[in-house]
Amino acid sequence: MDFGLVLQTDPPASALVGLMRRAERNGFRYGWTFDSAVLWQEPFVIYSRVLEHTERLIVGPMVTNPGTRTWEVTASTFATLNDMYGNRTVCGIGRGDSAMRVAGRRPNTLARLGQAIDAIRDLAEGREAVVDGTTLRLPWVKEGSLPVWMAAYGPKALALAGQKADGFILQLADPFLTEWMVRAVRTAAAEAGRDPDALTICVAAPAYVGDDLARAREQCRWFGGMVGNHVADLVTRYGEHSGAVPEELTEYIKQRTGYDYSHHGRAGNPDTAFVPDDIVDRFCLLGPVEAHIEKLRRLADLGVDQFAVYAMHDAKEATIDAYGQRVIPALSG
């Protein structure tokens, strides 16, 4: 199993670069960031500095979207980083939550997302692509490589990930839901004539190492609220008891009353009081090292190739070090 570190691009950027360097020294292979231009600093500028100050780390957004940048700009940015640092980027992409809503826009349609996945990958790898009716190519791209991994929860989005993406990003670490969603993605891939086992499966969730479970839960409760935004969209689209989405995912948002993006992804988010302890425990990795290893082994048995650690809490360095010293060695090979 590979490991990634997920951070927000809060200033100063030098602090993020330092944490990514620390992660690489501890055996992490991927460095991910949020991508929401109003809420945080511009990630692609910071990626250049991260790549310059690391040797092997692969970087990318978790996740970008097809609406805040034109597709040729996104592709050109990735291709430029790859030309400078040797194909060390990955494009995580989704419909857009905070980046679109904070700017007063609706998340992108799945149809547009599917078109963007093809176009961004093709352009970044030097092939022609149609963007808004015009055929484009980046003539300077030589031997470019850009895996595109899609984030999804709902049945139509899971199907699109299987049909189009090189990898699937699942932002929660509940084994039951992971099994359900990975099966849906791989079934869609097989039905589209693709090799389902060729898709990379990435589970991303907060991890907090320590014996104080109450503290860990409070530091990571924000994550249930973030996932709840997507779940609320699914309930609106499919209905509460449609069977299209497992009730294990939808039941907990009944007490959700609203969401202020100024607290998005932050410990102590006041809009996440509705998230019960059992959801925090299911969606996150909490407790002593042994508990993390046990849950990660369960996820690996379900076909998970990478676990990406959300480290938006008060123990970033301690978590990175604990994973490097004990967790990653236990899951390697």
Side-chain angles (χ1 to χ4, degrees):
M1 180 181 280
D2 284 336
F3 287 83
L5 177 67
V6 190
L7 298 172
Q8 292 169 338
T9 52
D10 289 313
S14 58
L16 184 147
V17 174
L19 288 169
M20 291 298 184
R21 294 181 67 187
R22 189 184 197 117
E24 183 179 62
R25 292 195 301 269
N26 275 282
F28 288 74
R29 290 195 60 220
Y30 286 76
W32 301 93
T33 73
F34 281 41
D35 177 17
S36 191
V38 175
L39 295 177
W40 302 291
Q41 292 185 328
E42 172 54 40
F44 286 93
V45 175
I46 299 171
Y47 294 157
S48 189
R49 190 67 180 270
V50 172
L51 289 165
E52 181 183 6
H53 288 275
T54 56
E55 296 179 1
R56 299 170 302 281
L57 203 69
I58 298 167
V59 304
M62 189 176 281
V63 293
T64 193
N65 71 85
T68 51
R69 298 176 182 83
T70 60
W71 304 348
E72 71 274 16
V73 170
T74 299
S76 180
T77 305
F78 277 113
T80 301
L81 291 171
N82 284 337
D83 186 65
M84 292 173 68
Y85 299 104
N87 288 336
R88 289 170 54 199
T89 66
V90 57
C91 177
I93 195 167
R95 294 177 60 231
D97 178 37
S98 63
M100 297 297 286
R101 297 184 198 274
V102 169
R105 307 184 187 106
R106 293 175 60 85
N108 298 270
T109 65
L110 287 175
R112 185 164 177 80
L113 176 56
Q115 294 165 0
I117 288 172
D118 289 338
I120 291 168
R121 183 199 293 118
D122 284 342
L123 290 171
E125 294 185 346
R127 297 183 294 276
E128 288 186 346
V130 176
V131 178
D132 294 329
T134 300
T135 300
L136 304 174
R137 187 175 72 85
L138 305 180
W140 51 269
V141 174
K142 307 297 181 186
E143 299 181 355
S145 176
L146 182 65
V148 180
W149 298 4
M150 180 182 154
Y153 291 109
K156 292 181 180 178
L158 294 169
L160 181 63
Q163 293 158 5
K164 295 279 189 180
D166 302 300
F168 165 49
I169 297 172
L170 174 58
Q171 290 160 308
L172 54 81
D174 176 69
F176 173 84
L177 293 170
T178 298
E179 183 176 18
W180 189 88
M181 293 186 184
V182 168
R183 184 188 307 116
V185 169
R186 287 189 165 148
T187 297
E191 290 175 349
R194 307 178 72 201
D195 178 2
D197 294 325
L199 273 77
T200 301
I201 307 298
C202 174
V203 161
Y208 197 103
V209 178
D211 295 325
D212 188 344
L213 275 178
R215 183 180 186 86
R217 286 170 179 147
E218 290 312 306
Q219 286 292 309
C220 299
R221 197 174 304 276
W222 63 266
F223 184 67
M226 188 183 83
V227 174
N229 290 336
H230 302 286
V231 175
D233 283 346
L234 296 177
V235 170
T236 299
R237 188 174 302 117
Y238 296 105
E240 188 175 337
H241 302 293
S242 65
V245 182
E247 290 190 15
E248 287 83 355
L249 183 59
T250 62
E251 184 70 19
Y252 84 98
I253 68 162
K254 288 182 176 180
Q255 304 303 315
R256 179 181 182 271
T257 57
Y259 194 83
D260 181 350
Y261 279 92
S262 65
H263 307 291
H264 188 58
R266 299 190 185 279
N269 185 335
D271 297 321
T272 60
F274 72 93
V275 180
D277 287 351
D278 71 298
I279 286 292
V280 183
D281 293 346
R282 283 171 47 199
F283 285 10
C284 306
L285 274 75
L286 312 175
V289 164
E290 293 76 13
H292 291 245
I293 293 171
E294 179 183 0
K295 192 167 188 178
L296 288 168
R297 283 177 173 156
R298 291 178 65 192
L299 293 171
D301 289 342
L302 296 174
V304 174
D305 301 296
Q306 179 184 153
F307 177 61
V309 176
Y310 278 104
M312 278 66 78
H313 50 56
D314 64 2
K316 295 179 180 67
E317 292 86 353
T319 299
I320 292 168
D321 292 347
Y323 265 66
Q325 293 163 12
R326 297 184 61 190
V327 179
I328 292 175
L331 275 293
S332 298

